[in-house]
Amino acid sequence: KHYGKLSQVAFDAGQYEEAKGALEAAIAAGRTDLKLLFAKTLMALKKSAEAKAQFEALQKENPEDESIVEQLLAVSEEMKDWNAAYAHINALVQKHPDDPRLQPRLARTLLQVGKRPEAMQIYLNLANIALKENKVDAAFSYFDSILALEPDNTDVLKKKAEIYLKQNKKQEVIDTYKKLQNIYTQKKMVEEAKKIGLVLTRLAGLK
């Protein structure tokens, strides 16, 4: 009991080495209920491989415990074991398909395992949801995630320009349309480049 209490107090205080020692003593004395805290302590100590082994053992004992799957996802991300992370995030998403907290992590993992189109679709969906909820900054963050992968995505650039226009941010609108014009010019899409040129001329005349 003493080591069990000491381990939790030490863990909560960020004294992870002390927590680890107390946990080893408590578990050796039969406190198997502290195995999860032990695995979390190993993770806090950046002993990722050891933590992963502990979480995997716990998962075998408690296959329905989603909190353990979440810990395995976190440690897989820490270790950059993206195939394992993909398996864990998929397991969570299948159970909670509408959980918004999982979607950005799923997109990030999809990128790491080479599923770029699927990742971009998730970012686009998240951006649209954010816009419906009037969370413009969040939407722009997702748009920028798409543009980081695909700088010449004209649909996203148009959407950003529309939002800037609604916000009356003239310079941002002009800058975004200039990017569009450059992309159309590079792609030899003459008519589209001309249309953007006309828009830019009109914008330049506005006060």
Side-chain angles (χ1 to χ4, degrees):
K1 285 183 178 179
H2 169 73
Y3 281 122
K5 288 179 181 177
L6 177 61
S7 64
Q8 187 66 64
V9 170
F11 182 87
D12 291 342
Q15 304 295 326
Y16 301 122
E17 284 291 356
E18 186 177 352
K20 179 174 176 287
L23 284 162
E24 287 171 338
I27 291 168
R31 289 290 305 275
T32 55
D33 58 302
L34 294 172
K35 286 182 179 179
L36 180 58
L37 183 59
F38 183 55
K40 289 180 179 179
T41 302
L42 290 170
M43 193 169 171
L45 288 167
K46 303 298 182 184
K47 297 179 183 289
S48 301
E50 293 176 47
K52 185 180 180 185
Q54 292 291 327
F55 284 128
E56 287 174 341
L58 282 164
Q59 188 183 34
K60 287 179 182 177
E61 295 172 13
N62 309 277
E64 299 302 316
D65 192 332
E66 290 180 29
S67 67
I68 295 172
V69 180
E70 289 175 6
Q71 294 292 340
L72 278 166
L73 171 59
V75 77
S76 297
E77 289 172 332
E78 182 77 25
M79 296 175 71
K80 301 191 187 308
D81 184 352
W82 296 111
N83 287 325
Y86 182 49
H88 298 314
I89 190 70
N90 258 343
L92 291 170
V93 169
Q94 283 173 12
K95 290 187 177 181
H96 305 284
D98 299 320
D99 188 339
R101 297 177 301 112
L102 296 174
Q103 294 299 314
R105 293 175 84 176
L106 175 59
R108 179 171 176 243
T109 306
L110 284 166
L111 285 175
Q112 297 296 335
V113 296
K115 296 179 181 289
R116 180 168 152 175
E118 292 94 327
M120 290 187 57
Q121 186 59 52
I122 289 172
Y123 283 131
L124 188 58
N125 292 342
L126 288 168
N128 288 331
I129 291 168
L131 286 175
K132 285 178 183 176
E133 296 174 351
N134 204 29
K135 297 176 180 176
V136 177
D137 289 344
F140 271 34
S141 174
Y142 295 127
F143 284 145
D144 289 342
S145 294
I146 295 171
L147 292 171
L149 300 168
E150 201 172 90
D152 60 351
N153 190 308
T154 54
D155 290 335
V156 170
L157 286 169
K158 284 178 188 174
K159 195 68 179 175
K160 285 186 75 172
E162 287 172 16
I163 296 167
Y164 282 137
L165 193 59
K166 288 177 183 177
Q167 293 178 324
N168 202 28
K169 293 184 176 180
K170 180 181 172 183
Q171 190 56 52
E172 286 84 348
V173 176
I174 290 170
D175 292 343
T176 307
Y177 274 125
K178 281 181 178 177
K179 287 179 185 176
L180 274 167
Q181 189 179 41
N182 288 336
I183 291 166
Y184 286 138
T185 301
Q186 288 169 9
K187 291 184 176 182
K188 301 191 186 316
M189 298 170 72
V190 180
E191 287 303 315
E192 285 79 358
K194 281 183 180 178
K195 287 176 185 176
I196 297 296
L198 292 171
V199 172
L200 284 167
T201 301
R202 285 200 299 270
L203 286 169
L206 294 175
K207 293 184 180 180

